[in-house]
Amino acid sequence: MLNSTFIETTLEYRCIKREEDIDYFIETDNYPIHLELDLPYLSRIQFPKSRAILVRTTPNSRWVTIHVLRNVDLYSSFANFEVELGKGPLHIEYKGGCIEVRR
């Protein structure tokens, strides 16, 4: 189980260090990813058939970049977005046939 200031997950993951920065490669086993949103006009975004999530972190910012990958390399990213984690870590977990991503 990964429990850092940026991410909490019970899924398999691998850390990739890049100088001071750390990438977290998290396997999703091709389950759909549900990005749960706390917006009055949008509840979630779904990414079907995703192989993995790559979360790029830096100790210099509470912003992380999340890449949704079709394969095991960054070049297979088909979606990416930034999330500000000032109010707590990013939670990534398997729930009822999908991978839930929420802050």
Side-chain angles (χ1 to χ4, degrees):
M1 177 173 168
L2 173 63
N3 189 348
S4 75
T5 57
F6 292 107
I7 301 171
E8 289 184 0
T9 186
T10 55
L11 301 173
E12 288 188 37
Y13 68 93
R14 183 177 59 209
C15 293
I16 304 164
K17 294 189 185 237
R18 299 176 301 110
E19 297 177 13
E20 292 182 16
D21 301 341
I22 300 175
D23 291 349
Y24 296 95
F25 181 85
I26 302 168
E27 295 278 351
T28 61
D29 296 327
N30 289 318
Y31 285 107
I33 296 171
H34 290 183
L35 174 61
E36 301 295 327
L37 303 170
D38 189 18
L39 300 171
Y41 54 89
L42 192 62
S43 64
R44 73 171 178 177
I45 298 174
Q46 184 182 64
F47 302 100
K49 295 187 182 179
S50 304
R51 170 74 189 275
I53 299 169
L54 181 78
V55 182
R56 302 197 110 173
T57 67
T58 178
N60 304 322
S61 173
R62 292 294 297 172
W63 284 88
V64 299
T65 304
I66 300 171
H67 294 268
V68 181
L69 308 176
R70 285 263 188 242
N71 210 330
V72 295
D73 60 38
L74 187 57
Y75 295 112
S76 72
S77 175
F78 66 93
N80 67 72
F81 47 93
E82 291 184 334
V83 177
E84 197 271 330
L85 299 177
K87 294 182 180 179
L90 186 67
H91 298 273
I92 303 172
E93 60 189 340
Y94 175 79
K95 260 192 175 170
C98 70
I99 305 298
E100 186 176 285
V101 178
R102 62 183 161 71
R103 184 176 62 93

